[in-house]
Amino acid sequence: MKARTISYVALFTALTAIGAFIKIPIPYIPFTLQILAVYLAGALLGPRLGMLSQLCYVLIGLIGVPVFAEGGGFGYIFKPTFGYLLGYILGAYVNGWLINRFSLATIRSIFFANAATLLTVYLFGCIWLYGAMKWIVETPLSISQTILYGFLLPVPGDLMLCILCAVIIQQVRPRIARYINVKELNHPWAKPTL
C-alpha cells in the first residue's frame, strides 16, 4: 500500500474519531457526527479502503485509545452501542460498493447509497443493543423499545446528515477522484494520475 493511500485511510480514521466527540446526548444512543466520516470514506476511498478506515478506527479504540464517544478499551465491546461501530465498518463498504458499482453521480442516487449505509449501521446497532441490554446490562429492552431507542430517536439527525453528505459527495468526488489513484475507484469520475 502506497504512503498516499495510507494517508487517506488515516485521514478518514481520524475524521471518524473527531465525529465521536461532537455529540448530542439522547437516551441509550448518543447522536454523533461519526456517520459523516462513514459516508465520505466509502464514497471517496471506495469500498475496501473506506471499510479499512473504519476498521482501523474500531481497532484503535479497542486497544485503548479513547476515540469512541465514551472512551475506549477492549471492554467497549460490552457496551450497548458497540454494534453501531461494527456497522460503520460494513456501512463504509456498502456505500463505496453501491456508488462504484452503479456509477452513482446524482445527489438523489448518492442519498440512496447513504441511506443503505445508514440502514446497515442501524441493523448492526439495534441487534447489538438488544443483546447487550438483555445479556450484559441485564436490563432487557423489548424489540419495540430497541427500535424506539436504537433507531427511531437517533435516525432523524442521521437522515439530515445523509442528505448533507450526498451534496458534499456529489460536489467533491469528481474533483478529488484523480488524486485518489486506487484500483477500486473505477468510477467514470476517476482519472488516472501521472
Side-chain angles (χ1 to χ4, degrees), residues 12-13 33 52 56-57 76 104 111 113 116 124 130 135 162 168 182 185-186:
F12 284 94
T13 300
L33 296 185
L52 180 60
C56 288
Y57 168 70
Y76 211 87
L104 305 180
F111 167 78
F124 274 81
Y130 180 80
W135 292 299
C162 213
I168 293 170
V182 292
L185 278 182
N186 56 3

Side-chain angles (χ1 to χ4, degrees), residues 16 34-35 38 47 50-62 68-69 73-74 76-95 116-129 131-132 136:
T16 310
Q34 291 169 292
I35 196 76
V38 177
M51 181 176 72
L52 180 60
S53 72
Q54 299 309 301
L55 178 62
C56 288
Y57 168 70
V58 172
L59 292 177
I60 287 169
L62 288 178
F68 298 149
F74 187 74
Y76 211 87
I77 64 170
F78 300 111
K79 288 197 173 276
T81 57
F82 184 70
Y84 295 92
L85 300 178
L86 295 178
Y88 292 164
I89 298 168
L90 186 59
Y93 185 89
V94 166
N95 193 278
T117 299
L118 190 60
L119 289 176
T120 302
V121 171
Y122 275 101
L123 177 65
F124 274 81
C126 286
I127 291 171
W128 196 278
L129 175 64
I136 298 171

